[in-house]
Amino acid sequence: MMRLTYLLPAPMHATELGETEMRRRAGLLAEWSPPGTEITVSAVSRGPVSIESAYEDYLSIPAMADQACASVDAGADAIVVGCFGDPGLDGLRELVRRPVIGPSAAAMSLAASLGHQFSVVTVVEGVRPLLRRLAWEAGLSDALGVIRAVELPVIDLNRDHERAFSVLRGECERVLAETDTDTLVLGCMSMGFLGAAERLTEELGVPVVNPVRAAVHQADTLHRMGLAHSPRAYRTPAKLRQGTNRADLIRTTDAPLEVTP
Amino acid sequence: MMRLTYLLPAPMHATELGETEMRRRAGLLAEWSPPGTEITVSAVSRGPVSIESAYEDYLSIPAMADQACASVDAGADAIVVGCFGDPGLDGLRELVRRPVIGPSAAAMSLAASLGHQFSVVTVVEGVRPLLRRLAWEAGLSDALGVIRAVELPVIDLNRDHERAFSVLRGECERVLAETDTDTLVLGCMSMGFLGAAERLTEELGVPVVNPVRAAVHQADTLHRMGLAHSPRAYRTPAKLRQGTNRADLIRTTDAPLEVTP
Amino acid sequence: MMRLTYLLPAPMHATELGETEMRRRAGLLAEWSPPGTEITVSAVSRGPVSIESAYEDYLSIPAMADQACASVDAGADAIVVGCFGDPGLDGLRELVRRPVIGPSAAAMSLAASLGHQFSVVTVVEGVRPLLRRLAWEAGLSDALGVIRAVELPVIDLNRDHERAFSVLRGECERVLAETDTDTLVLGCMSMGFLGAAERLTEELGVPVVNPVRAAVHQADTLHRMGLAHSPRAYRTPAKLRQGTNRADLIRTTDAPLEVTP
Amino acid sequence: MMRLTYLLPAPMHATELGETEMRRRAGLLAEWSPPGTEITVSAVSRGPVSIESAYEDYLSIPAMADQACASVDAGADAIVVGCFGDPGLDGLRELVRRPVIGPSAAAMSLAASLGHQFSVVTVVEGVRPLLRRLAWEAGLSDALGVIRAVELPVIDLNRDHERAFSVLRGECERVLAETDTDTLVLGCMSMGFLGAAERLTEELGVPVVNPVRAAVHQADTLHRMGLAHSPRAYRTPAKLRQGTNRADLIRTTDAPLEVTP
Amino acid sequence: MMRLTYLLPAPMHATELGETEMRRRAGLLAEWSPPGTEITVSAVSRGPVSIESAYEDYLSIPAMADQACASVDAGADAIVVGCFGDPGLDGLRELVRRPVIGPSAAAMSLAASLGHQFSVVTVVEGVRPLLRRLAWEAGLSDALGVIRAVELPVIDLNRDHERAFSVLRGECERVLAETDTDTLVLGCMSMGFLGAAERLTEELGVPVVNPVRAAVHQADTLHRMGLAHSPRAYRTPAKLRQGTNRADLIRTTDAPLEVTP
Amino acid sequence: MMRLTYLLPAPMHATELGETEMRRRAGLLAEWSPPGTEITVSAVSRGPVSIESAYEDYLSIPAMADQACASVDAGADAIVVGCFGDPGLDGLRELVRRPVIGPSAAAMSLAASLGHQFSVVTVVEGVRPLLRRLAWEAGLSDALGVIRAVELPVIDLNRDHERAFSVLRGECERVLAETDTDTLVLGCMSMGFLGAAERLTEELGVPVVNPVRAAVHQADTLHRMGLAHSPRAYRTPAKLRQGTNRADLIRTTDAPLEVTP
């Protein structure tokens, strides 16, 4: 039995998608999980509406870290970061000794095992450098073909699923026609919850990896094998090791201060 | 439900390990698999006694290919190659449209996702170049630290488990002391069936990946996600596409022929 | 004339170092700057006490982003991030169209131009993976030798300068003895403000780069050349381009929400 | 004086090409060899009709290994593997302490020495991943441009030489027009025996390497220099070192065995 | 105060550009330098008319080395090599213990710090391999996109500035349209003295680095920081260390000699 | 029949080694060449006494280029550069359309084909960066292990052969003990003419490549195959293509000129 927290970096319950979408996602996660998985979809109280830039990626981390720690304290066995940008993955792993899965790393890693070159199709141009870095962090730069963006804001993607699918499929076909790519990764969790990967795998004749499912299965694999990320790679911050409370890592004053020589 | 064939490259029933060891392994595989997995351990009728060189690796492939095709014809949902050298992985994938898992690729890929640098501890010096190539094939050269051999022939390893464990542990400790390795992979299936990875994870404080379990879980992940390796990466051989029987790919004559100008 | 903001990621005025240290640093920055530079040292109102892990690195970004925008609105010509981890560099560059300098990138880049292989000596083990990533982001993985940590917390380093120098020098000597390193980088801003690089350059006979000064000169170079980071590399977040206020990128609710299927 | 065995992986005497083509090839090899070379073209008794996939590549190895050992026992000074896929090269080198030349490695290595970027034009799509791996094994990934296939099965290529040449030339021209390639390699031994490389070198104005001749000359170079592949790179299999007969490496039983837990 | 020698590899005073162009360049260098820089433009007495091949690059080195040593003896604090091919940079650095700046290395290094991928637009096809090597020497291969040549001989470029600019701009636009390049480098000093980089930065909306200015500022940075290239990377030639005069490194006889066995 | 010029970068007839050593080398070259090779050892009239730094490497190029052109005009079929630093290789190849062989590239390329990792043992520390660059230029960075120097000046090496051999052997043994190197290259032509490689191959049990012989055989291979380096990689300098005499590429004036703004 695995208690899995799917951690949303945004307060989705305070956006137009709302709790309804959270429940829909929880349902899909349950459907996609191996038997014996208890799914919780958890949304932070404070964070970016959606993540389409490095800046928004960073904005999401402090609240996610709090929530990840709370989840583990409450008994979660594993955490999946609910954003393809894997925001704060190394930071979260420093805090928590349960598997913390970045869907980007999980999906790229699975894709690399299915062929010789994988490519990523994502939503907005602005995250391409970020995704290239994630491929490097996963040790997979050599297996990465191209990263393409369909320029479909996450919000729109959630509004008109059929149009999103069609735009996505067009870009996937272009990638296959123009490069040696043999395996595709959908570079956005909302794409994953569209069920697009499954349809594309069928229609394009090459494996198209759904990052949501790749992440869930990596969590399950690690949980069953009794493994988590290495403490030598993600060390507990020195101050925490020495007994400081996590809350005391941060200091707040009334105002910034500017001095000149 | 997944019917998983664990395909031994050697006729283990014709070695001193025999059917007993095959049953022991089947038991462990069942214990380590997610619920709903049906395990078959399948040994070829002809193959090398053990694989400790590139030459023996190649010797195992023809019979494994026959067996893999037979397994799939008989309903197998996925195949795990029962050797850490991943012998013939690309060849098998050209023949079979079900997930064929190489434990080396699966274990290295899992290890890479747990830290920044993984290293492999294996049994014999002679397979080190082979394993380096497998890391490259998995797109993971950048994440690979070192490959070390304990010079413990596979046969001996199966004879004295406790001594094997102790030698293994010594080498793992040296790797951790001398390199930036944060995650280890046991580079031999017999090591996997020793249960050594689980003890070492506990005793060394870093994740030590059991390739047997990594392979089984990758098979499960792909099966549940409805994915298999890409047909663009592993094409069905042209002659088979054109209708030739697999048996007719090979031609046999009475004797070799030598000609001079 | 360049108005340069040196942006501290920590509310230094609320730590034991206090405003005094801020003034001392402002003085050194002025001394080290080309004529015509107006230095402001600016500390955020909220942030980590010091940065010795990825988690603390991320904690510092939101307030730094606010402060960077405020500085530029108030007329700053360039910003130097006051931490060798270059926290949030890509995020800040998405927000601000003036040069934003990461001292790590600036120092590594300068070091690479002085020889064939540079190495970094930094303060704590926990930031080594982060620094390796920064070298990659700077496109300099090939020129990087080793990253070594002296395990001297930033706080201690600021308390006993002479001992810090001696520990530092020992590690630098070891790197030169054991590797092909020809150029060194001090991997910590507090080390830079020690004046250690200058003494080590003298005593060791190889260039030792002070990241504080490398950053200030890169700011000056870009300012004089009329250049800043590329908007194609660091795109303005889509929502900001479409008119959303930066403050509205983030949404706050009363509490997190957890749902189950 | 060098006795050189050109080792065909297929029983060519049992195909439509037959002994006649073997003699034609022996004649060309003699013509292309330095004075004092004694050529033997040797065909195995059992093997794939032609090699157009990884699977067929593997099928050819066991019989080639037997033949290679027999050749050396009979006095051969060097062996050229008669297939551009270099099947089993590392395995053969483990068995034989005379130069064993892979034409792919020999041709790529020669091509790399003639310019900055070489590309390969081969016959079938299916072997492209294999050739990319061979470039990596030769340490030449960085110098490799593209690998292109003309989709001309080996058999057809041997039937209509003029058409084959024309298709080949067209693809070579495209590679030169579309990439920075400065040197070409023909990626198929049958192409080599067409004399196509020599005509293309003339007509295209860039060096086009004939893998047959590159291999013969590498054998000659090593033989004259008294060198062979390194025993540290290609170790004699441990069991052979300990006195096992090569024939006893393999074990045969009546039938496969399948067990369940 | 920095005395900076800009060292021309050609006897420009003996070409159609003449002393007038040398003065024009001196003026621009002064204008572009930080306050307190004393510029000298120094032309050798013997060298190639212009450098458009590796051969001409090499021809320029002996006289430049003499001149560089003379400049430093006469009090120069830093030297900028006046050619984008950085001719003899490592050789000059072996002789002189003041900063010797290669504009190619300086410009590429600055460009890499402004984005994720930079590309170079240069004058003649023949220097592209040379520039690729310089990127590698600067440790920046990974950050380099493409190198494109406009096939505009240096002499013509100096004759019709407006046409040169227009051709240049066209190529820059093509690079931006066809690749992920985010930052450009002008790969020729004459282009730099055209003022083209400044106009292109304005018109194309991405940073375009002028190698002249990048080099001057790197010299200034190093001079102010009290740094020069590492003596471990660029060792004083052994014979000079042992007291041989530089002039005696070379030996001259009446005529070549040819012997046969 | 091949007329081969072995081109000495130094006026050896004007050094203490003199014409005698030139004849000795010619004899060895003849002995080591395939039948039908006509050897000429050709020494320039002006050049460095020996090459132990990048600066001396550059000093040798202008006279070598003259001599190479003269040799080819006089009927040479191929040229071997007589220095392991491959001085001016790309420049010479721009001038001459016959094979020009760099012994470093030839030896490294041969070494790479004999195993998985080769290392170089050379004479002086100062040329190590140069050799690393040559490995890169040969496309072989990935296959290169370490470069070690025995700090034995070329002159001393020629004076006491036995001591040189013993020092050399010691370093080779250290490399084999400390690294995964499986093949060695002697990084100096004088070492090659010592016959050291042959003895070391025998005594160390791994292939040790003599760069002299590797170069001669590469020349022979290219000559027999009718190949030379690619004109797309090494373009004839534009001015020469347009009819300028080679002598007119260089311009000489009475004196350098220095101007200030």
Side-chain angles (χ1 to χ4, degrees):
Chain A
M1 211 274 300
M2 173 176 63
R3 278 157 300 186
L4 179 68
T5 296
Y6 184 85
L7 182 50
L8 288 167
M12 194 184 271
H13 51 308
T15 69
E16 68 167 49
L17 293 169
E19 196 177 329
T20 311
E21 175 65 9
M22 287 175 68
R23 288 205 191 282
R24 191 182 75 87
R25 294 192 177 190
L28 281 169
L29 285 163
E31 186 186 323
W32 288 338
S33 298
T37 314
E38 262 185 29
I39 294 289
T40 303
V41 171
S42 173
V44 294
S45 66
R46 177 179 164 79
V49 180
S50 68
I51 297 183
E52 297 172 338
S53 62
Y55 176 56
E56 290 161 295
D57 183 282
Y58 292 131
L59 284 182
S60 73
I61 299 173
M64 282 183 75
D66 293 344
Q67 195 85 343
C69 292
S71 283
V72 168
D73 289 348
D77 293 309
I79 288 171
V80 167
V81 173
C83 174
F84 194 78
D86 292 2
L89 185 64
D90 47 357
L92 301 184
R93 288 181 164 186
E94 289 172 349
L95 299 179
V96 157
R97 293 292 145 207
R98 293 286 178 286
V100 182
I101 311 297
S104 176
M108 291 185 189
S109 165
L110 192 65
S113 77
L114 296 175
H116 306 299
Q117 185 182 89
F118 71 87
S119 286
V120 181
V121 177
T122 187
V123 274
V124 285
E125 199 58 27
V127 298
R128 288 175 64 228
L130 187 63
L131 299 189
R132 192 168 307 278
R133 189 185 83 199
L134 293 175
W136 176 82
E137 294 226 44
L140 290 169
S141 293
D142 285 354
L144 173 63
V146 297
I147 300 174
R148 295 278 179 84
V150 294
E151 280 301 345
L152 197 71
V154 173
I155 288 299
D156 295 357
L157 190 151
N158 281 302
R159 275 189 196 131
D160 182 348
H161 288 191
E162 205 50 38
R163 180 162 164 274
F165 179 81
S166 149
V167 168
L168 203 51
R169 185 187 152 131
E171 193 58 39
C172 288
E173 286 173 334
R174 264 189 297 282
V175 169
L176 292 175
E178 295 167 10
T179 71
D180 270 343
T181 296
D182 50 53
T183 304
L184 290 160
V185 171
L186 296 193
C188 170
M189 301 314 266
S190 293
M191 284 180 180
F193 285 109
L194 274 184
E198 291 70 17
R199 274 179 67 188
L200 288 166
T201 295
E202 186 76 26
E203 298 182 16
L204 299 177
V206 298
V208 181
V209 177
N210 180 340
V212 179
R213 297 174 76 173
V216 167
H217 285 296
Q218 194 173 91
D220 180 61
T221 294
L222 294 176
H223 179 64
R224 284 185 203 273
M225 288 177 69
L227 297 176
H229 46 277
S230 175
R232 260 170 81 109
Y234 308 97
R235 292 172 187 258
T236 305
K239 300 188 193 72
L240 299 186
R241 278 201 315 267
Q242 289 146 16
T244 307
N245 285 325
R246 194 163 61 79
D248 295 338
L249 292 183
I250 210 158
R251 197 152 300 182
T252 311
T253 58
D254 290 343
L257 178 67
E258 299 206 326
V259 306
T260 52
Chain B
M1 210 273 300
M2 171 176 64
R3 279 158 300 187
L4 179 68
T5 297
Y6 183 86
L7 181 51
L8 288 166
M12 194 182 272
H13 49 308
T15 71
E16 67 168 51
L17 293 168
E19 196 177 328
T20 311
E21 176 66 10
M22 286 175 68
R23 288 205 192 281
R24 193 183 74 88
R25 294 192 178 189
L28 281 168
L29 285 163
E31 187 185 322
W32 288 337
S33 297
T37 314
E38 259 184 33
I39 294 289
T40 303
V41 171
S42 174
V44 293
S45 62
R46 177 179 165 80
V49 180
S50 68
I51 295 182
E52 297 172 340
S53 62
Y55 176 57
E56 291 160 295
D57 183 281
Y58 293 130
L59 283 182
S60 74
I61 300 173
M64 284 182 73
D66 293 343
Q67 195 86 341
C69 291
S71 284
V72 169
D73 288 347
D77 292 310
I79 288 171
V80 166
V81 172
C83 174
F84 195 77
D86 293 3
L89 185 64
D90 46 358
L92 300 183
R93 287 179 165 190
E94 288 172 350
L95 299 179
V96 158
R97 293 294 146 207
R98 293 286 178 285
V100 182
I101 310 298
S104 177
M108 292 185 188
S109 165
L110 192 67
S113 77
L114 295 176
H116 305 301
Q117 186 181 91
F118 70 88
S119 287
V120 181
V121 177
T122 187
V123 274
V124 285
E125 200 59 27
V127 299
R128 290 175 63 229
L130 187 64
L131 300 189
R132 193 168 305 279
R133 189 184 83 199
L134 293 175
W136 176 82
E137 294 226 45
L140 290 169
S141 293
D142 285 355
L144 173 64
V146 297
I147 300 174
R148 295 278 179 84
V150 292
E151 279 303 344
L152 198 70
V154 173
I155 288 297
D156 296 357
L157 191 150
N158 282 303
R159 276 191 195 130
D160 183 347
H161 289 191
E162 205 50 40
R163 183 164 161 270
F165 180 81
S166 149
V167 169
L168 203 53
R169 185 187 151 132
E171 192 59 40
C172 289
E173 284 172 335
R174 265 189 296 283
V175 169
L176 293 174
E178 295 167 11
T179 72
D180 270 343
T181 295
D182 49 54
T183 303
L184 290 160
V185 171
L186 296 193
C188 171
M189 301 312 267
S190 292
M191 285 180 179
F193 285 109
L194 274 185
E198 291 69 17
R199 277 179 65 188
L200 289 167
T201 296
E202 187 75 27
E203 298 182 17
L204 299 177
V206 299
V208 181
V209 176
N210 180 340
V212 179
R213 298 174 75 173
V216 166
H217 285 296
Q218 195 174 88
D220 180 61
T221 295
L222 293 176
H223 180 65
R224 283 184 204 275
M225 289 177 70
L227 296 176
H229 46 278
S230 174
R232 261 170 80 110
Y234 307 98
R235 293 172 186 256
T236 304
K239 299 188 194 73
L240 299 186
R241 280 202 315 268
Q242 290 146 16
T244 307
N245 284 326
R246 195 163 60 78
D248 295 338
L249 291 183
I250 211 158
R251 197 154 297 181
T252 309
T253 59
D254 290 342
L257 178 68
E258 300 209 324
V259 303
T260 51
Chain C
M1 208 276 297
M2 171 176 66
R3 279 157 300 186
L4 180 68
T5 296
Y6 183 86
L7 182 51
L8 288 166
M12 193 182 272
H13 50 306
T15 71
E16 68 169 49
L17 294 169
E19 195 176 330
T20 312
E21 177 65 10
M22 287 176 68
R23 289 206 191 280
R24 192 184 74 87
R25 295 192 177 189
L28 280 168
L29 285 162
E31 187 185 320
W32 288 338
S33 298
T37 314
E38 261 184 31
I39 295 289
T40 303
V41 170
S42 174
V44 294
S45 64
R46 176 179 166 77
V49 181
S50 68
I51 296 182
E52 297 171 339
S53 63
Y55 176 57
E56 290 160 296
D57 183 280
Y58 292 130
L59 283 182
S60 73
I61 299 172
M64 283 183 73
D66 294 344
Q67 195 86 342
C69 291
S71 284
V72 169
D73 289 348
D77 293 309
I79 288 170
V80 167
V81 172
C83 174
F84 194 78
D86 294 1
L89 185 64
D90 47 357
L92 301 183
R93 287 179 164 189
E94 288 174 349
L95 299 180
V96 157
R97 294 293 146 206
R98 294 283 179 286
V100 182
I101 310 297
S104 177
M108 291 186 190
S109 164
L110 193 66
S113 77
L114 295 175
H116 305 300
Q117 185 182 90
F118 71 88
S119 286
V120 181
V121 177
T122 187
V123 274
V124 285
E125 200 58 28
V127 299
R128 290 175 63 229
L130 187 64
L131 300 189
R132 192 168 306 277
R133 190 185 82 199
L134 293 175
W136 176 81
E137 294 226 44
L140 290 168
S141 294
D142 284 355
L144 173 64
V146 297
I147 301 174
R148 295 278 180 84
V150 294
E151 278 303 346
L152 198 70
V154 173
I155 287 299
D156 296 356
L157 190 150
N158 281 303
R159 274 190 195 130
D160 183 347
H161 288 191
E162 207 49 40
R163 184 167 160 270
F165 179 81
S166 149
V167 169
L168 203 51
R169 185 188 152 131
E171 193 58 40
C172 288
E173 285 173 335
R174 263 188 297 282
V175 169
L176 293 174
E178 295 167 11
T179 72
D180 271 342
T181 296
D182 50 53
T183 303
L184 290 159
V185 171
L186 296 192
C188 170
M189 302 312 267
S190 294
M191 285 181 179
F193 285 110
L194 275 183
E198 291 70 16
R199 277 179 66 187
L200 288 167
T201 295
E202 187 75 26
E203 299 181 17
L204 299 177
V206 297
V208 181
V209 177
N210 180 340
V212 179
R213 297 175 75 173
V216 166
H217 286 296
Q218 193 174 91
D220 180 60
T221 294
L222 292 176
H223 179 64
R224 283 184 204 275
M225 289 177 70
L227 296 176
H229 46 279
S230 174
R232 261 170 80 108
Y234 306 98
R235 292 171 187 257
T236 305
K239 300 188 192 72
L240 300 184
R241 280 201 315 268
Q242 289 147 16
T244 306
N245 284 326
R246 195 164 60 79
D248 295 339
L249 292 183
I250 211 159
R251 196 153 299 180
T252 310
T253 59
D254 290 344
L257 176 68
E258 301 206 327
V259 305
T260 51
Chain D
M1 212 273 298
M2 171 176 63
R3 278 158 299 185
L4 178 68
T5 296
Y6 184 85
L7 182 51
L8 288 167
M12 194 183 271
H13 49 309
T15 70
E16 68 168 49
L17 293 169
E19 197 177 329
T20 311
E21 176 66 9
M22 285 175 68
R23 288 205 192 282
R24 192 183 76 86
R25 293 194 177 187
L28 281 168
L29 285 163
E31 187 186 322
W32 288 338
S33 297
T37 313
E38 260 184 33
I39 294 289
T40 302
V41 171
S42 174
V44 294
S45 62
R46 178 179 162 80
V49 181
S50 69
I51 297 182
E52 297 172 340
S53 63
Y55 176 56
E56 291 160 295
D57 184 280
Y58 292 130
L59 283 183
S60 73
I61 301 173
M64 283 183 73
D66 294 342
Q67 194 85 342
C69 291
S71 284
V72 169
D73 288 347
D77 293 309
I79 288 171
V80 167
V81 173
C83 173
F84 195 78
D86 294 2
L89 186 63
D90 46 358
L92 301 184
R93 288 180 163 188
E94 288 173 349
L95 300 179
V96 158
R97 291 295 145 207
R98 295 285 177 283
V100 182
I101 310 298
S104 177
M108 290 185 188
S109 165
L110 192 66
S113 77
L114 296 175
H116 305 301
Q117 184 183 91
F118 71 89
S119 286
V120 181
V121 177
T122 188
V123 275
V124 285
E125 200 58 27
V127 298
R128 290 174 63 227
L130 187 63
L131 300 188
R132 193 169 305 280
R133 190 186 81 199
L134 293 175
W136 176 81
E137 293 226 46
L140 291 168
S141 293
D142 285 355
L144 174 63
V146 296
I147 299 175
R148 295 279 179 83
V150 292
E151 279 302 345
L152 198 69
V154 173
I155 288 298
D156 297 358
L157 191 150
N158 281 303
R159 275 192 195 127
D160 183 347
H161 290 190
E162 207 49 40
R163 183 163 162 271
F165 179 81
S166 150
V167 169
L168 203 52
R169 186 188 151 130
E171 193 59 40
C172 289
E173 285 173 335
R174 265 188 296 282
V175 169
L176 293 175
E178 294 167 11
T179 72
D180 270 344
T181 295
D182 50 53
T183 303
L184 290 161
V185 171
L186 296 193
C188 171
M189 302 312 268
S190 293
M191 285 180 178
F193 284 109
L194 274 184
E198 292 69 18
R199 277 178 66 187
L200 288 167
T201 296
E202 187 75 26
E203 299 182 16
L204 299 177
V206 299
V208 181
V209 177
N210 180 340
V212 179
R213 297 174 75 172
V216 167
H217 286 296
Q218 195 174 90
D220 180 60
T221 293
L222 293 175
H223 180 64
R224 283 184 203 276
M225 289 178 70
L227 297 175
H229 46 278
S230 175
R232 262 170 80 109
Y234 306 98
R235 293 173 186 255
T236 304
K239 300 188 194 72
L240 300 186
R241 280 201 315 268
Q242 290 146 16
T244 307
N245 285 326
R246 195 163 60 78
D248 295 338
L249 291 183
I250 210 157
R251 197 152 298 180
T252 310
T253 58
D254 290 342
L257 178 69
E258 300 206 326
V259 306
T260 53
Chain E
M1 209 275 299
M2 171 176 63
R3 278 158 300 186
L4 179 68
T5 296
Y6 183 86
L7 182 51
L8 287 166
M12 194 184 270
H13 50 307
T15 70
E16 68 168 50
L17 293 169
E19 196 177 329
T20 311
E21 176 65 9
M22 286 175 67
R23 288 206 191 282
R24 193 183 76 86
R25 295 192 177 187
L28 281 168
L29 285 161
E31 187 185 322
W32 287 338
S33 297
T37 314
E38 261 184 31
I39 295 289
T40 303
V41 170
S42 175
V44 293
S45 64
R46 177 179 165 80
V49 181
S50 69
I51 295 182
E52 297 171 340
S53 63
Y55 176 57
E56 291 160 295
D57 184 281
Y58 292 130
L59 284 181
S60 74
I61 300 172
M64 283 182 74
D66 294 343
Q67 195 85 343
C69 291
S71 283
V72 168
D73 289 347
D77 293 310
I79 289 171
V80 168
V81 172
C83 174
F84 195 78
D86 293 2
L89 185 64
D90 47 357
L92 301 183
R93 288 180 164 188
E94 288 173 349
L95 299 179
V96 157
R97 293 294 146 206
R98 294 284 178 288
V100 182
I101 310 297
S104 176
M108 289 185 190
S109 164
L110 192 65
S113 76
L114 296 175
H116 306 300
Q117 184 182 92
F118 71 88
S119 287
V120 181
V121 177
T122 187
V123 274
V124 285
E125 200 58 27
V127 299
R128 291 174 62 228
L130 188 62
L131 300 188
R132 193 168 305 277
R133 190 185 81 200
L134 293 175
W136 176 81
E137 293 226 44
L140 291 169
S141 294
D142 284 356
L144 173 64
V146 296
I147 301 175
R148 294 279 179 84
V150 294
E151 279 301 347
L152 198 70
V154 173
I155 288 299
D156 297 357
L157 189 151
N158 281 303
R159 274 189 196 130
D160 182 348
H161 288 191
E162 206 50 39
R163 182 162 163 273
F165 178 81
S166 149
V167 169
L168 203 52
R169 185 187 152 133
E171 192 60 39
C172 289
E173 286 172 334
R174 263 188 297 282
V175 169
L176 294 174
E178 295 167 10
T179 72
D180 270 343
T181 296
D182 50 53
T183 304
L184 290 160
V185 171
L186 296 192
C188 170
M189 302 312 268
S190 293
M191 284 180 179
F193 285 109
L194 274 184
E198 291 70 16
R199 276 178 67 187
L200 288 166
T201 296
E202 188 75 27
E203 299 182 16
L204 299 177
V206 298
V208 181
V209 177
N210 181 340
V212 179
R213 299 174 74 172
V216 166
H217 285 296
Q218 193 174 90
D220 180 61
T221 294
L222 293 176
H223 180 64
R224 283 185 204 274
M225 288 176 71
L227 297 176
H229 46 278
S230 174
R232 261 170 79 108
Y234 307 98
R235 292 172 187 256
T236 305
K239 302 189 192 72
L240 299 185
R241 280 200 316 267
Q242 290 147 15
T244 307
N245 283 327
R246 196 165 58 80
D248 294 338
L249 291 184
I250 209 158
R251 197 152 299 180
T252 310
T253 58
D254 290 344
L257 177 68
E258 301 208 326
V259 305
T260 51
Chain F
M1 211 274 299
M2 171 175 66
R3 279 158 298 187
L4 179 68
T5 296
Y6 183 86
L7 183 50
L8 287 166
M12 194 184 272
H13 50 309
T15 70
E16 68 167 49
L17 293 170
E19 196 177 330
T20 311
E21 176 66 8
M22 287 175 67
R23 287 204 192 282
R24 192 183 76 87
R25 294 191 178 191
L28 281 169
L29 285 163
E31 188 185 321
W32 288 338
S33 298
T37 314
E38 262 183 30
I39 294 289
T40 302
V41 170
S42 173
V44 294
S45 63
R46 177 180 165 79
V49 180
S50 68
I51 296 183
E52 298 172 339
S53 63
Y55 176 56
E56 291 160 295
D57 183 281
Y58 292 130
L59 284 182
S60 73
I61 300 172
M64 282 183 75
D66 294 343
Q67 195 85 342
C69 291
S71 283
V72 169
D73 289 348
D77 292 311
I79 288 171
V80 166
V81 172
C83 174
F84 195 79
D86 293 1
L89 185 64
D90 48 356
L92 300 183
R93 287 181 164 188
E94 288 173 349
L95 299 180
V96 157
R97 292 295 145 207
R98 294 285 178 287
V100 182
I101 310 297
S104 176
M108 291 184 188
S109 164
L110 193 65
S113 76
L114 296 175
H116 306 301
Q117 185 182 89
F118 71 89
S119 287
V120 181
V121 177
T122 188
V123 275
V124 286
E125 200 59 27
V127 299
R128 288 175 64 228
L130 187 63
L131 299 189
R132 193 168 305 280
R133 189 185 83 200
L134 292 175
W136 176 81
E137 294 227 44
L140 291 168
S141 293
D142 285 356
L144 174 63
V146 297
I147 298 175
R148 294 279 179 82
V150 293
E151 278 302 347
L152 197 71
V154 174
I155 288 298
D156 297 356
L157 189 151
N158 281 303
R159 277 193 195 127
D160 183 347
H161 288 192
E162 206 48 40
R163 183 166 160 270
F165 179 81
S166 147
V167 169
L168 203 51
R169 185 187 151 132
E171 193 59 39
C172 289
E173 286 172 334
R174 265 189 296 283
V175 169
L176 293 175
E178 294 167 11
T179 71
D180 270 343
T181 295
D182 49 54
T183 304
L184 290 159
V185 171
L186 296 193
C188 170
M189 301 313 266
S190 294
M191 284 181 181
F193 285 109
L194 275 184
E198 290 71 17
R199 277 179 65 188
L200 289 166
T201 296
E202 187 75 28
E203 299 181 16
L204 300 176
V206 298
V208 182
V209 178
N210 180 340
V212 179
R213 296 174 77 173
V216 166
H217 286 295
Q218 193 173 89
D220 180 60
T221 294
L222 293 176
H223 180 62
R224 283 184 204 273
M225 288 177 70
L227 297 176
H229 46 276
S230 174
R232 261 169 80 109
Y234 306 98
R235 293 172 186 257
T236 305
K239 300 187 192 74
L240 299 185
R241 278 202 315 268
Q242 290 147 15
T244 306
N245 284 325
R246 194 164 60 79
D248 294 339
L249 291 183
I250 210 158
R251 197 154 296 182
T252 311
T253 59
D254 290 343
L257 177 68
E258 299 207 325
V259 305
T260 51

